[in-house]
Amino acid sequence: MLPLLHEDCFKRLLSITLYHAISTLFVHMDLHNYLEIQKLSIDKALDTLLPREDQFPPHLHKAMRYCLFAGGKRIRPILAIAAAEAVGGNPEDIIQEASALELIHTFTLIHDDLPAMDNDDYRRGVLATHKIFGEAMAILAGDALLTEAFKILSLGCKRGVHKPEHIVSIIEVVAEASGSRGIVGGQVEDIDSEGKVIEQKHLEYIHQHKTGSLITASVLLGGTLAEGSEQEIEHLKTYGTSIGLAFQITDDILDIKGSSEELGKKTGSDHNKGKATYPGILGIGQAEERKRELYEEAIHALQSFDEKADHLREIGLYIIERHC
Ligand code: GRG
């Protein structure tokens, strides 16, 4: 084969290939560092914001912290921070509000694992909250995490870092994303669809609401608090909507192809429960294609942003290529 290529041409080809391989490696290393650094500062904020374990009633505060600090990628607060950066904001200014998103997310995980819902025993590599603290305490710990999140969001006014109208606006966005027009609506349809054959459009509604809505709210929170323009917020919304759906399609695929160790929970549970999933309706190949299409849409939505949106772009790729 080689002699067919002129030596110079071969060297150039080799250096281009090497350049791409090395630069891809650097992007991955860079993102890995970025995710680690953000995760550390979010965990620090969460630890400071939440009541300590020994604060009365200690049983409740222990339960609230148990699943929260068992693990988790912190992708929703990180998306909020990356969105703030994309519009020129300072991540430190929004760390508390971004962390509140993780409280809401963790609450949904705790309730989702309950016997009355998905009845899962493991989460984030450890026994689910209800398996350790009992069902009543898991419900109450979840309730307390949700309400604490809204307290933290409202505190943004007191801190004087953000304009009150921006705080009110993000409270509205996050509340809408959580309630019957958001996560709760998606979860209800998810439960009602178990064991049934449903249309792709219906599945898209479920995924967009039970998972996508909080992801979209996260980028909107970052963009709004960092005072992005109306047009920037609109583009962030499109990014969030596409990447949010891609996130859940990836989750569906990982439930089939992923490893329980990496995921920290049992795989194959969607199939066992008769859950409607993208691979179930379209097959793995088309589900992968749809996920990639959504990633392209998300990246396209950021085309008018400069390099300050690079973390948001890289997180998009991470979301569809992740193993856990
Ligand atoms: C919000 C008021 C309100 C009620 C919640 C229980 C419930 C109603 C909804 C369940 C929603 C749910 C758990 C959807 C699945 C979302 C999802 C893909 C979770 C996995 O997220 P990762 O991968 O997990 O980010 P880590 O552990 O990394 O944080």
Side-chain angles (χ1 to χ4, degrees), residues 28-297:
H28 281 298
M29 272 168 52
D30 202 34
L31 182 69
H32 179 79
N33 287 342
Y34 176 78
L35 295 177
E36 279 304 307
I37 290 166
Q38 299 308 329
K39 192 171 166 344
L40 281 177
S41 56
I42 290 155
D43 284 355
K44 194 165 158 240
L46 286 169
D47 190 38
T48 313
L49 289 164
L50 270 198
R52 299 183 58 83
E53 275 195 11
D54 55 6
Q55 195 168 323
F56 196 81
H59 202 33
L60 172 65
H61 292 133
K62 250 188 184 163
M64 285 166 75
R65 284 171 168 264
Y66 170 73
C67 180
L68 185 66
F69 292 114
K73 297 180 285 296
R74 311 298 193 226
I75 205 68
R76 293 150 191 85
I78 295 175
L79 277 167
I81 288 167
E85 285 173 357
V87 300
N90 177 4
E92 278 171 31
D93 292 344
I94 71 141
I95 191 82
Q96 300 200 7
E97 291 80 8
S99 301
L101 296 163
E102 189 63 26
L103 299 184
I104 298 178
H105 169 59
T106 304
F107 142 69
T108 71
L109 300 179
I110 295 173
H111 278 206
D112 193 45
D113 292 338
L114 287 165
M117 301 231 190
D118 275 6
N119 194 17
D120 279 315
D121 290 350
Y122 288 92
R123 175 67 70 177
R124 292 179 164 171
V126 294
L127 280 167
T129 303
H130 67 274
K131 298 296 280 183
I132 298 285
F133 295 89
E135 277 181 56
M137 194 54 70
I139 292 169
L140 293 166
D143 293 345
L145 287 170
L146 176 67
T147 40
E148 192 68 25
F150 282 99
K151 180 194 160 183
I152 293 167
L153 293 181
S154 67
L155 277 178
C157 285
K158 260 198 193 158
R159 289 201 297 130
V161 180
H162 305 295
K163 291 192 181 130
E165 62 265 33
H166 288 154
I167 294 291
V168 173
S169 159
I170 58 140
I171 289 177
E172 183 188 344
V173 164
V174 175
E176 170 131 345
S178 303
S180 66
R181 297 174 194 83
I183 305 176
V184 180
Q187 179 77 345
V188 163
E189 285 306 303
D190 185 56
I191 290 172
D192 279 355
S193 304
E194 272 179 26
K196 293 181 190 157
V197 177
I198 63 167
E199 300 276 322
Q200 188 181 338
K201 209 170 160 48
H202 191 179
L203 179 63
E204 189 156 316
Y205 171 92
I206 294 172
H207 282 19
Q208 277 294 10
H209 289 76
K210 80 167 183 181
T211 303
S213 60
L214 191 58
I215 288 180
T216 307
S218 302
V219 289
L220 291 179
L221 180 146
T224 305
L225 292 181
E227 309 198 359
S229 69
E230 232 173 83
Q231 211 177 21
E232 284 172 328
I233 300 291
E234 224 17 75
H235 293 319
L236 287 175
K237 191 173 182 178
T238 308
Y239 168 89
T241 307
S242 301
I243 216 63
L245 182 54
F247 189 98
Q248 184 57 52
I249 298 178
T250 308
D251 206 73
D252 288 355
I253 296 171
L254 285 173
D255 192 59
I256 299 169
K257 287 172 63 175
S259 100
S260 303
E261 285 73 35
E262 279 183 284
L263 289 166
K265 58 178 185 176
K266 274 195 191 137
T267 49
S269 71
D270 290 341
H271 177 74
N272 295 340
K273 288 174 196 136
K275 291 262 185 207
T277 65
Y278 266 78
I281 288 188
L282 298 178
I284 291 256
Q286 273 192 55
E288 298 264 11
E289 249 173 59
R290 178 74 185 120
K291 166 184 98 164
R292 212 148 263 288
E293 211 174 80
L294 286 159
Y295 161 73
E296 300 292 346
E297 278 172 31

